[in-house]
Amino acid sequence: MSTSSLAAPLDVELRPGRPPVARIDTPPDVVGWAAQYRDVLRALVAEHGSLLVRGLGLRDPEQVGAVFTRLTGGLMTERESFAPRETFGSGLYASTTWPANQPMCMHHELSYTQEPPGLMLFACLTAPEDGGATAVADAAEVLRELPAEVRTRFEREGWLLTRSYNDEIGASLEESFGTADRTGVESYCRANGIDFAWQPDGSLRTTQRRPAVVRHPVTGEACWFNQIAFLNEWTLAPEVREYLVDIYGADGLPFNTRFGDGTPIGEDVVELLNATYEKHTRREPWQAGDLLLVDNVRTAHSREPYTGDRQVLVGMAGPRRLDAGATNPEARTR
């Protein structure tokens, strides 16, 4: 039973270029504090799109899992992951395995699934020496900033995600679908609107079309919601892209994105999307013990390059089936 109605208000620091920050004195009972302040924290995330809680003093995976559970009522099991993660318990994961010197560009977690999480939770146990922030960007602001011709096309067509599963790079079939059995994989794909084709070498290629703009489930505001830029070949470092194309071919990349009609997305469009994100990016360096809550529909997040050790645990909650959104009547009727 929530006791947040008795919780004192939290002071939230709002500064340009930074996410909202609530600074607290480390409570003697961190898990109990999370239960008491659950509604307060969730209301602040609803108001601001994200919230960094500093001073909570999170220190180990068991404690983080308990805090995440108190704040959400239960965590999601990830499906359709694009890279491996270490698991620390039901619904509690390490950050996605990704080279420390390469950015993970702005994206909305699992935006290519039919029921993506509504809330993302991050806990920093070890802060990096330099860099490594989990930055955020307002999806409605990004959508408004995009040129009309780009915005309208994606509203009309959506976007395509193509994936090639092999045993060498990216998440395995079992990590993505919860099973390596062909029948089980095919059943999952059919149930989740994913076209699939087994290749002669036994690998799997999939294609799924998703909306690029959705309506926020609470406010109804149109939000730019996808992983078009992050999972596109042009966001990869040039040497990485050249290597993957050389090994797997242009049609066999582990992941790539296209316009909804199947047309390739040019490098200029990807650069435009990433530049628009950067214009609206807010960042705050991690400190050990921090908690970050992110509205996954309203707010995109990224992971910046870093040096040194970095341990950030991740949880997802509140799966939602979202309605496609449009900012002009013509896009809705096409």
Side-chain angles (χ1 to χ4, degrees):
M1 178 177 177
S2 173
T3 59
S4 61
S5 60
L6 303 178
L10 295 177
D11 291 328
V12 178
E13 179 183 283
L14 301 175
R15 298 171 60 187
R18 305 208 173 189
V21 178
R23 301 178 188 274
I24 66 170
D25 295 327
T26 304
D29 178 4
V30 173
V31 177
W33 184 94
Q36 182 183 15
Y37 276 84
R38 176 188 185 277
D39 293 346
V40 174
L41 296 173
R42 296 293 293 268
L44 288 170
V45 174
E47 179 181 357
H48 299 291
S50 64
L51 179 70
L52 178 69
V53 181
R54 176 152 290 165
L56 196 54
L58 298 170
R59 61 182 183 273
D60 59 62
E62 183 178 2
Q63 185 189 56
V64 170
V67 167
F68 283 8
T69 299
R70 295 299 189 282
L71 293 176
T72 63
L75 298 175
M76 294 171 55
T77 298
E78 184 179 36
R79 288 288 179 264
E80 300 183 53
S81 58
F82 68 89
R85 291 185 191 266
E86 184 179 359
T87 302
F88 289 91
S90 180
L92 184 63
Y93 303 95
S95 298
T96 301
T97 302
W98 199 259
N101 65 343
Q102 298 292 321
M104 295 179 67
C105 298
M106 282 289 175
H107 62 284
H108 298 263
E109 201 73 22
L110 299 179
S111 62
Y112 47 81
T113 64
Q114 290 193 329
E115 292 191 351
L119 179 70
M120 297 296 299
L121 305 95
F122 302 89
C124 180
L125 299 185
T126 304
E129 293 176 7
D130 185 60
T134 299
V136 295
D138 188 288
E141 292 179 356
V142 170
L143 178 63
R144 287 190 290 267
E145 183 82 14
L146 293 175
E149 63 274 14
V150 174
R151 181 177 64 244
T152 300
R153 181 170 185 181
F154 278 115
E155 285 176 336
R156 182 176 66 245
E157 299 178 5
W159 63 294
L160 286 180
L161 172 65
T162 61
R163 300 185 64 174
S164 293
Y165 295 86
N166 55 56
D167 295 328
E168 299 171 341
I169 189 170
S172 66
L173 290 177
E174 187 166 2
E175 288 167 332
S176 288
F177 300 107
T179 178
D181 175 72
R182 280 199 178 198
T183 301
V185 171
E186 292 173 2
S187 295
Y188 182 97
C189 289
R190 292 190 184 97
N192 289 275
I194 302 172
D195 295 330
F196 62 90
W198 297 100
Q199 303 303 299
D201 63 359
S203 63
L204 175 70
R205 291 187 184 176
T206 63
T207 303
Q208 52 213 94
R209 184 175 182 270
R210 299 291 185 254
V213 179
V214 301
R215 292 281 169 185
H216 192 280
V218 176
T219 67
E221 188 171 27
C223 296
W224 179 250
F225 180 80
N226 54 71
Q227 284 163 258
I228 293 168
F230 177 38
L231 296 180
N232 188 274
E233 61 181 304
W234 295 113
T235 292
L236 295 170
E239 64 275 13
V240 175
R241 177 181 177 274
E242 291 172 7
Y243 170 79
L244 292 175
V245 170
D246 183 57
I247 297 296
Y248 300 108
D251 293 330
L253 293 174
F255 48 79
N256 203 359
T257 60
R258 293 174 175 261
F259 287 105
D261 66 355
T263 304
I265 297 173
E267 185 176 9
D268 59 331
V269 174
V270 175
E271 289 178 348
L272 168 68
L273 298 179
N274 283 327
T276 305
Y277 274 130
E278 180 57 33
K279 185 175 179 179
H280 294 279
T281 291
R282 293 172 289 165
R283 54 176 60 83
E284 173 70 19
W286 280 115
Q287 292 183 15
D290 283 352
L291 168 71
L292 175 65
L293 305 174
V294 176
D295 179 329
N296 188 46
V297 180
R298 178 178 168 183
T299 306
H301 68 276
S302 65
R303 193 226 68 192
E304 301 185 339
Y306 66 92
T307 58
D309 293 333
R310 179 184 188 273
Q311 186 180 25
V312 174
L313 302 188
V314 181
M316 309 167 215
R320 303 295 292 262
R321 189 173 287 263
L322 303 172
D323 294 328
T327 56
N328 64 78
E330 289 186 5
R332 291 194 191 99
T333 58
R334 292 177 184 175

